[in-house]
Every structure is written in structure tokens, then in C-alpha cells.
Amino acid sequence: MYPQLLTPEEKLAAAKEGLNIPHIVVICGSTRFMADMAEANLRETTAGHIVVAPGCNMKEPHKLWASDELAEPLKARLDALHRAKIRLADEVLVVGDYIGTSTTAEIRYAASLGKPIRYTHPEVNPFGGIA
């Protein structure tokens, strides 16, 4: 009998357990809530969790996304990066009292992976408690 091969997700979970990696929480939400995200990061960190979150706010002016030629490919790379953060995380924390299309897509993606999802404002859950 051959040994059963592990999926990449199972390998990641086993590696995190073997390395004694603390629970990882990814923060999702509109970047209009960056201050709330910082507070959530603080609370999750002091609870002993590793936190991954959006690293920049493209709603604020910056030379890295000052033109459409710079902003469009950067937005695509940041979206892919955030999906990788969701795959890495053990749990998703959705921050803010508004959920737009990007955050809804992130929630759907996390749910498709079976990730537990918490909300700072459960009343805005776009799936009514399903995700």
C-alpha cells in the first residue's frame, strides 16, 4: 500500500504545527477602515496571534500608484498577494461596518477554502451568517 500524499494545504498545516506557529489571522476589509484595522491588529497580536493585513492604502496618494499605468497592475498584484495571505491564514477577520465588492470577493474566497470568518460588525455580513 502506498502512503497517501498530502495536499499543499495539509503540508502547510503540518509545517505550521511542527514549527509551533501561532494562530494566523488575516484582516480583510475596505482600506477606508485602516485605523480600525490597526486596532484589530493590536488586539489580535496581544491575544497571541500572528496578523497579516493590507499593507498599503491605495485610496491615499502615493508616488507608487500616482498614475493609472502604475495603479492598475499594482492593484492586481496586491489582490493576488491578499489571496495568498488568506490561504496562509487560519482565520479571517473582516473589519468595518461596510463591505464592498472587493471584500465580498475575499470573503467568498476564504469561505471556498473553508476558513473561519469573523466580523467586527456581524450585521454587515453579506451572506447573512453563512460565511
Side-chain angles (χ1 to χ4, degrees):
M1 181 168 207
Y2 294 104
Q4 188 172 1
L5 298 176
L6 297 177
T7 66
E9 294 82 5
E10 291 168 331
K11 289 178 185 178
L12 177 60
K16 289 186 331 189
E17 184 177 328
L19 293 169
N20 197 29
I21 301 293
H23 188 77
I24 301 173
V25 177
V26 61
I27 294 176
C28 294
S30 172
T31 55
R32 72 174 71 173
F33 300 115
M34 289 298 272
D36 296 323
M37 289 180 185
E39 179 66 21
N41 191 330
L42 174 76
R43 292 183 182 279
E44 294 296 322
T45 299
T46 59
H49 302 150
I50 293 172
V51 179
V52 291
C56 60
N57 180 359
M58 291 184 68
K59 290 180 175 65
E60 296 290 327
H62 194 283
K63 65 182 178 180
L64 289 175
W65 52 83
S67 68
D68 287 345
E69 293 79 23
L70 295 171
E72 289 177 21
L74 177 59
K75 173 76 168 110
R77 288 194 312 274
L78 292 175
D79 287 347
L81 180 62
H82 202 71
R83 285 190 302 275
K85 292 175 182 181
I86 292 169
R87 289 191 303 276
L88 176 67
D90 301 305
E91 179 183 24
V92 173
L93 176 59
V94 180
V95 173
D97 62 2
Y98 160 82
I99 295 178
T101 56
S102 293
T103 303
T104 298
E106 292 169 356
I107 293 166
R108 282 193 175 138
Y109 182 65
S112 78
L113 299 174
K115 303 287 180 175
I117 302 168
R118 283 188 290 134
Y119 295 81
T120 59
H121 294 77
E123 69 276 7
V124 298
N125 179 342
F127 305 104
I130 297 169

